[in-house]
């Protein structure tokens, strides 16, 4: 069964606003990663958070991880039109042999 | 320089044909992957290779056969193409020398396969 589920499926905001996307998963993990996919392109890695970390920042990105709730959130602050893309969370299995991707959140940032 | 490249970018073919998609990475990574992304953008792993050895083989029809001539290349050959094979196929690589998926993965641009 699919490991990650994301919420919301689609999010539309105005430039300058913050965007928050959530990811829930089912089994224990070693790490959780977030990827971005622009239309017609491959996935690009954004940030990796390990199971013993609770929060991580990278530029305008802030990721939190709550292993007790098996959930993570990705916050993009001061969004820009160029942030328009699909965002996927990905979790590894306890054995670490593969990544399982969520269904993704389609973010649209309107100028 | 392109890190992970795939050819072709688009592939349109008739049902029953055999086709190949090539993937090359110039990152010096040890592990390479093939993923299939369906029309709903759901991304599912198909295969992974570590130093030319098969690590993961998901429940994929045996019409799909990966081949890794060296650790920088992982090609995907598909026999007897079916309508349901239409999707975007992504190649990816990671540095992880153990074959574990804990490292960042670097994706190619994708190959959009359309089976008519």
């Amino acid at each position: 069964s699919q490991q990650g589920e994301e919420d919301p499926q689609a999010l539309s905001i105005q430039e300058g606003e913050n965007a928050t996307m959530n990811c829930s998963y089912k089994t224990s993990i070693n790490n959780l990663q977030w990827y971005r996919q622009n239309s017609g392109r491959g996935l690009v890695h954004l940030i990796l958070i390990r199971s013993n970390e609770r929060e991580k920042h990278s530029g305008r990105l802030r990721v939190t991880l709550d292993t007790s709730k098996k959930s993570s959130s990705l916050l993009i602050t001061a969004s820009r039109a160029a942030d328009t893309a699909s965002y996927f969370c990905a979790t590894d299995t306890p054995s670490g042999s593969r990544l399982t991707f969520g269904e993704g959140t389609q973010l649209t940032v309107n100028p | 320089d392109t890190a992970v490249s795939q050819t072709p970018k688009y592939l349109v073919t008739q049902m029953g044909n055999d086709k190949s998609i090539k993937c090359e990475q110039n990152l010096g990574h040890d592990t390479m992957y093939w993923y299939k992304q369906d029309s709903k953008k759901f991304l599912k792993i198909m295969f992974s290779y570590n130093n030319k050895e098969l690590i993961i083989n998901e429940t994929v029809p045996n019409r799909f056969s990966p081949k890794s001539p060296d650790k920088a290349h992982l090609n995907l050959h598909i026999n007897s193409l079916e309508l349901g094979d239409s999707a975007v196929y992504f190649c990816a690589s990671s540095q992880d020398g153990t074959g574990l998926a804990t490292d960042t993965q670097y994706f190619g641009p994708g190959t959009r396969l359309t089976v008519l």
Side-chain angles (χ1 to χ4, degrees):
Chain A
S1 63
Q2 188 175 333
Q3 171 78 318
E5 294 184 3
E6 296 181 61
D7 166 54
Q9 286 190 330
L11 179 61
S12 182
I13 59 175
Q14 295 299 123
E15 216 167 19
E17 293 179 342
N18 295 341
T20 300
M21 288 159 271
N22 303 298
C23 168
S24 60
Y25 57 92
K26 295 175 183 172
T27 64
S28 60
I29 61 172
N30 294 313
N31 68 56
L32 184 145
Q33 303 181 36
W34 284 90
Y35 287 80
R36 182 187 75 226
Q37 184 180 29
N38 289 81
S39 180
R41 302 286 190 94
L43 280 73
V44 174
H45 179 261
L46 294 176
I47 198 164
L48 181 153
I49 186 165
R50 302 197 185 280
S51 59
N52 61 355
E53 297 175 310
R54 291 296 167 259
E55 188 171 313
K56 207 161 182 180
H57 297 254
S58 177
R60 294 184 295 113
L61 305 181
R62 173 177 164 248
V63 168
T64 62
L65 179 64
D66 187 335
T67 52
S68 67
K69 294 182 180 177
K70 292 188 170 58
S71 68
S72 173
S73 68
L74 170 67
L75 168 67
I76 303 174
T77 59
S79 63
R80 305 166 182 167
D83 294 329
T84 294
S86 293
Y87 291 82
F88 295 87
C89 68
T91 54
D92 64 349
T93 60
S95 64
S97 63
R98 70 195 65 196
L99 282 183
T100 302
F101 286 81
E103 294 177 335
T105 293
Q106 172 61 48
L107 172 66
T108 302
V109 181
N110 301 298
Chain B
D1 286 343
T2 303
V4 182
S5 59
Q6 294 178 229
T7 54
K9 188 167 174 61
Y10 299 96
L11 187 52
V12 181
T13 188
Q14 298 288 331
M15 241 183 356
N17 284 351
D18 303 338
K19 291 292 178 185
S20 292
I21 307 172
K22 295 186 176 181
C23 177
E24 177 181 1
Q25 54 95 3
N26 63 5
L27 298 167
H29 287 169
D30 289 324
T31 305
M32 296 184 71
Y33 312 83
W34 276 108
Y35 288 89
K36 179 180 180 181
Q37 187 174 47
D38 64 22
S39 58
K40 295 184 178 179
K41 292 194 173 180
F42 179 49
L43 196 70
K44 184 171 181 181
I45 189 165
M46 300 172 69
F47 302 101
S48 79
Y49 270 72
N50 177 258
N51 278 311
K52 301 195 299 176
E53 289 195 16
L54 181 66
I55 302 296
I56 294 172
N57 183 351
E58 284 294 281
T59 310
V60 177
N62 57 16
R63 298 182 294 104
F64 290 79
S65 54
K67 284 186 173 49
S68 182
D70 54 61
K71 76 173 194 176
H73 295 84
L74 181 61
N75 304 322
L76 183 65
H77 189 75
I78 315 170
N79 289 328
S80 304
L81 278 156
E82 301 177 356
L83 294 176
D85 297 332
S86 295
V88 182
Y89 292 84
F90 287 99
C91 177
S93 72
S94 68
Q95 190 171 5
D96 199 321
T98 64
L100 299 180
T102 54
D103 277 358
T104 298
Q105 293 189 15
Y106 294 80
F107 282 77
T111 295
R112 182 174 293 276
L113 172 64
T114 303
V115 182
L116 304 174

